[in-house]
Amino acid sequence: MGSKERIARLKEETRENILDAALEIVKEEGWQSLSMRKIADKIEYTAPIIYEYFANKEGILMELTRTGYIILGTDLRATMAISTEPAVQLEAMWIAYWNFAFENKELYRLMYGVDMVCCEMKKSMPEAEASNRLFFETIERLVEPQNNTEEFVCRKFYTFWSIIHGLISINLVNKGRGQEMNELILKDAIKGIIKFINE
Amino acid sequence: MGSKERIARLKEETRENILDAALEIVKEEGWQSLSMRKIADKIEYTAPIIYEYFANKEGILMELTRTGYIILGTDLRATMAISTEPAVQLEAMWIAYWNFAFENKELYRLMYGVDMVCCEMKKSMPEAEASNRLFFETIERLVEPQNNTEEFVCRKFYTFWSIIHGLISINLVNKGRGQEMNELILKDAIKGIIKFINE
DNA sequence: ACATTTGCTTAACGGTGTTAGATTATTTAT
DNA sequence: ATAAATAATCTAACACCGTTAAGCAAATGT
C-alpha cells in the first residue's frame, strides 16, 4: 500500500514548512527573535514536534545555511554561462555574489556570520566549498601560467572575497553610504584587482 | 565629611568591575553565554544590582563598545606619530587597525557586528566617528588636490575599510588561511590601493 | 531614639531551548 | 470487529534568560 509514501511526503512537507516558517519569521523580526515556539505556532503545532525533524535549533539554522549555499551556487553557475571569457565571468560572478547577499540578507548573515551565531561545523559543508571552487577555477583560467599555483590563486581569491564581503558586512551592519557609492567602490575594486591580478 | 567621595569612588569601582567581569566572561565563553547572572556572580552580587549601574544588558554592551573605540583611537593616534608622510602613516594605521582587531577580538566583534548583536544607535557614538576621521584626514593629505573632494576621499576610505574589515571578518568567523597568507593579502591590497589612489 | 534613606536580596514574571511522560489517534493483528 | 501496538501529538516540567517589584537590614540624618 502506498500510504507509506504519502506519509513520507507529508513528513517531508512539514519539514519544509518548519524551514519556511523559520525564514519567514527571521525576515519579519530578525534572527534575534526566532524561537522554537514561534516556528511551532506558525506551522500550527507545538514546539516539541520540531525535534522530530531537527536535532535542535542549530539544526534548523544549519539546514537554512545549506540552502543558502545551494542558491548561491546556482546563481554563480548561471552567471558563468553568460561568457567564456574568464575576466568577464569573474566580474559578473562577484556582482552575482553581491546581488545574492542583498536579495537574501538573512541567509547571507547566517552563512557568513555577520551579526549571527557562529556555527563551527560550517566548514565541513560541501555546498560551501562548491561555490568557492567556482571562483578558484575562474581565477585559475585568468592568471598567467607561471602564477598558476595553489598559493597564488588562493591569495587572489581571498583578496576579492575580502573586499566584497567587507563591503557587504559594512552595509548589512552599519548601513554604508548608499547604493551608488557601493557600486563605485565595488566595481573599482574588482576592476583594479583583475587588472593587476598577475602582479 | 569625605565619605561621599569614598562612596562615589566605590560605586565607580563596581561599575568598572561589572564591565571587567563582562569582558572576562566573553573572553572565556563567548558573547553567546554572557548573562547578567554570570556577571553578578563574578562581582559577588546578585543580578538586580547591575541595573543600578546600567539600564540593561545592552547598556553594558554599549559601554564596552565605547571603550573599544577609545582604545582603537588611541592606537591610531600613536601610530600616526611615527611619521609625517601620509602614505607611510596610512599603511601603518591600517596595520594598527588590523592588530587592534586581533588583540581585542571580542571588542571588535561588538564594534563591527561580526557575529554579534547589532546595536542600532552605534552610529550616534562620537568615539566611533573619531577613528574614522583620522583615516579621512590622512587620505585627504595623500590624494592629489583635484581629487580632494568629500566623495572621492570617502570612496577611498570605504575601499580600504572594506578589504580590511572583510579580511578580519573572514578570519574571525571562518578562520582564514593562516597568518602569513593574511599578511600577504593585506599588504598587497593596502599597497595596491595606495599606489592607485588617484585613479 | 526615631525616621529615612541606601544597599542589597529574594521572589517573581514572561520568555527561551529542550526533554519526559501522558494522551490521543491511527494502524495493525487477531 | 475488536484488541493490541504503534505513531503522532500535547502538556508539564526543567533550567536558564533579562528584568522588575517588594522587602529586609544596615547606615544615615534629625
Side-chain angles (χ1 to χ4, degrees):
Chain A
M1 50 192 73
S3 74
K4 276 274 186 293
E5 286 93 22
R6 199 198 71 234
I7 288 172
R9 227 177 318 120
L10 276 178
K11 288 206 81 174
E12 182 53 34
E13 203 173 301
T14 59
R15 208 188 111 97
E16 287 291 328
N17 287 343
I18 291 170
L19 294 172
D20 290 352
L23 196 52
E24 206 175 322
I25 292 166
V26 168
K27 280 181 181 164
E28 288 163 0
E29 317 177 38
W31 286 108
Q32 281 299 324
S33 66
L34 174 66
S35 83
M36 299 301 258
R37 285 174 175 86
K38 274 187 197 164
I39 297 174
D41 256 30
K42 199 148 243 175
I43 62 170
E44 294 178 301
Y45 278 109
T46 51
I49 65 113
I50 303 179
Y51 292 86
E52 307 238 325
Y53 297 88
F54 297 94
N56 47 34
K57 191 179 180 182
E58 198 174 344
I60 299 176
L61 301 189
M62 215 63 176
E63 202 50 47
L64 288 175
T65 306
R66 192 194 315 280
T67 70
Y69 283 119
I70 291 171
I71 295 173
L72 175 61
T74 308
D75 286 5
L76 289 178
R77 269 180 284 270
T79 303
M80 286 177 74
I82 65 167
S83 168
T84 55
E85 197 62 47
V88 177
Q89 283 181 322
L90 195 56
E91 180 174 345
M93 283 166 74
W94 284 119
I95 302 284
Y97 181 98
W98 171 272
N99 288 332
F100 167 82
F102 286 94
E103 284 161 14
N104 306 82
K105 290 192 181 70
E106 299 78 17
L107 290 183
Y108 190 88
R109 285 177 135 95
L110 197 50
M111 291 156 73
Y112 297 109
V114 182
D115 180 49
M116 177 74 303
V117 188
C118 175
C119 325
E120 264 310 314
M121 50 206 95
K122 230 180 290 181
K123 54 168 190 168
S124 66
M125 195 177 283
E127 291 88 350
E129 293 290 311
S131 302
N132 288 359
R133 207 166 38 240
L134 294 178
F135 283 112
F136 264 78
E137 287 163 6
T138 311
I139 295 173
E140 272 173 9
R141 295 180 47 218
L142 192 58
V143 298
E144 287 164 12
Q146 75 269 19
N147 285 331
N148 197 340
T149 66
E150 222 268 319
E151 192 272 347
F152 189 89
V153 172
C154 186
R155 201 170 90 212
K156 293 300 169 183
F157 167 72
Y158 269 85
T159 307
F160 277 115
W161 189 23
S162 293
I163 192 158
I164 285 150
H165 173 65
L167 196 53
I168 290 170
S169 300
I170 288 169
N171 275 274
L172 287 184
V173 176
N174 289 18
K175 311 268 162 266
R177 308 281 294 202
Q179 199 55 37
E180 72 292 349
M181 177 73 97
N182 283 335
E183 279 171 28
L184 274 177
I185 297 169
L186 188 63
K187 291 217 171 188
D188 266 21
I190 292 175
K191 287 228 167 81
I193 301 175
I194 290 182
K195 195 168 168 188
F196 304 108
I197 199 161
N198 282 303
E199 294 189 13
Chain B
M1 49 191 73
S3 74
K4 275 274 186 291
E5 285 93 22
R6 198 199 72 234
I7 286 171
R9 228 178 316 122
L10 276 179
K11 287 206 85 176
E12 182 54 34
E13 203 173 301
T14 59
R15 207 189 111 96
E16 286 291 327
N17 286 344
I18 290 171
L19 294 172
D20 291 352
L23 196 52
E24 206 174 322
I25 292 167
V26 168
K27 280 181 182 166
E28 288 163 0
E29 315 177 39
W31 287 108
Q32 281 299 324
S33 66
L34 174 65
S35 82
M36 299 300 257
R37 285 172 174 87
K38 273 186 198 165
I39 297 174
D41 256 31
K42 199 149 240 173
I43 63 170
E44 293 179 303
Y45 279 109
T46 51
I49 64 111
I50 303 180
Y51 292 86
E52 309 235 325
Y53 299 88
F54 298 93
N56 47 34
K57 192 180 180 183
E58 198 174 343
I60 299 176
L61 301 190
M62 216 61 175
E63 202 52 45
L64 287 175
T65 305
R66 192 193 316 280
T67 70
Y69 283 119
I70 290 171
I71 296 173
L72 175 60
T74 308
D75 287 4
L76 288 178
R77 270 179 284 270
T79 302
M80 287 177 74
I82 64 166
S83 169
T84 55
E85 196 62 49
V88 177
Q89 283 180 321
L90 196 56
E91 180 175 346
M93 283 165 75
W94 284 119
I95 301 285
Y97 182 98
W98 170 272
N99 288 333
F100 166 83
F102 286 94
E103 284 161 13
N104 306 82
K105 289 193 182 72
E106 299 78 18
L107 290 183
Y108 190 88
R109 286 178 133 96
L110 197 49
M111 293 156 72
Y112 297 109
V114 182
D115 181 46
M116 177 75 302
V117 187
C118 175
C119 325
E120 263 310 313
M121 51 209 91
K122 230 181 287 182
K123 56 169 188 168
S124 65
M125 195 177 281
E127 291 87 350
E129 293 291 312
S131 302
N132 288 359
R133 207 164 42 239
L134 294 177
F135 282 113
F136 265 78
E137 287 163 5
T138 311
I139 295 173
E140 273 173 8
R141 294 181 48 220
L142 192 58
V143 298
E144 287 164 11
Q146 74 269 19
N147 285 331
N148 198 340
T149 65
E150 222 266 320
E151 192 273 346
F152 189 90
V153 172
C154 187
R155 201 169 90 211
K156 293 300 170 184
F157 168 71
Y158 269 85
T159 306
F160 276 116
W161 190 22
S162 293
I163 193 159
I164 285 150
H165 173 65
L167 196 53
I168 290 170
S169 299
I170 288 168
N171 275 273
L172 287 184
V173 176
N174 290 17
K175 312 269 163 265
R177 307 280 294 201
Q179 199 56 36
E180 73 291 348
M181 177 74 95
N182 283 335
E183 279 172 28
L184 274 177
I185 297 169
L186 188 62
K187 292 219 169 184
D188 266 20
I190 293 175
K191 287 227 166 81
I193 300 175
I194 291 182
K195 195 168 167 189
F196 305 106
I197 199 160
N198 283 302
E199 294 190 14

